[in-house]
Amino acid sequence: RECRRLLEAHAVRDRIDAAPIRDRIFGVAAGARAHDALAWLEPALDLGPGALRGPALLRLAWRAKRGGEHDRAAALWAEAGEAGEVEGWRELAMHHEHRARDFDAALLAVERARGLVEEARGKDARAWHLAEGFERRRQRLLRKKARREARADA
């Protein structure tokens, strides 16, 4: 922020248009900061349990997913879920349902997530919404599993 203020002060003093210069400089810097931030996430995990561990795991998992490393992302989502992140269980359930097509593993992830949100369901609107979504996912998974078993028996 201080660099931005200095650049803008320089632009005002010398009466130049700072926007194109600022956009190029801070666009490159933003990309570098994103890379640096990811580099700092891995060592943060070595600190052990804490308030930052779950969110750091989620960010690493989403980055792995975008990079096509789906197995690594699934492992990170499971670890984030174990750290208390409901979003980790939700992402893991989606991975097992849609990518791995392992409905039993998806159901297990849904049950773990429901366990996290169920106690806060009556007190918190977000928890209620999450619990309803997990219940819909559970019902859908049970239907898919039953259809798969019926086809296998036929």
Side-chain angles (χ1 to χ4, degrees):
R1 288 183 187 172
E2 187 165 331
C3 290
R4 181 175 294 181
R5 275 182 261 164
L6 289 172
L7 175 65
E8 289 170 352
H10 171 72
V12 169
R13 187 187 72 216
D14 294 338
R15 297 189 178 155
I16 59 172
D17 184 12
I21 297 168
R22 182 192 67 223
D23 291 344
R24 281 195 304 270
I25 291 172
F26 291 107
V28 169
R33 281 194 308 269
H35 177 72
D36 290 344
L38 286 172
W40 282 98
L41 286 176
E42 296 276 354
L45 298 179
D46 295 335
L47 297 175
L52 297 177
R53 184 172 177 75
L57 287 164
L58 289 175
R59 288 186 186 278
L60 287 170
W62 287 323
R63 183 68 174 200
K65 179 182 176 183
R66 273 184 255 130
E69 300 175 71
H70 299 286
D71 293 335
R72 180 169 186 260
L76 289 165
W77 283 320
E79 198 173 341
E82 293 292 339
E85 292 292 330
V86 175
E87 189 66 24
W89 292 124
R90 189 178 80 79
E91 289 283 350
L92 187 62
M94 289 190 307
H95 168 80
H96 285 307
E97 179 182 359
H98 301 295
R99 179 162 288 281
R101 309 291 293 168
D102 183 351
F103 300 140
D104 290 323
L107 280 166
L108 181 62
V110 166
E111 291 304 321
R112 297 293 300 270
R114 287 179 67 202
L116 288 176
V117 297
E118 201 59 45
E119 57 195 53
R121 184 179 189 165
K123 303 174 225 167
D124 181 17
R126 182 175 183 271
W128 180 86
H129 183 72
L130 286 168
E132 290 295 312
F134 286 125
E135 180 57 29
R136 284 190 303 275
R137 183 174 300 280
R138 187 177 82 77
Q139 293 298 324
R140 184 177 63 246
L141 285 164
L142 290 172
R143 285 191 307 269
K144 285 182 173 184
K145 184 178 173 184
R147 278 195 305 263
R148 179 183 279 175
E149 290 170 355
R151 278 194 304 248
D153 292 340

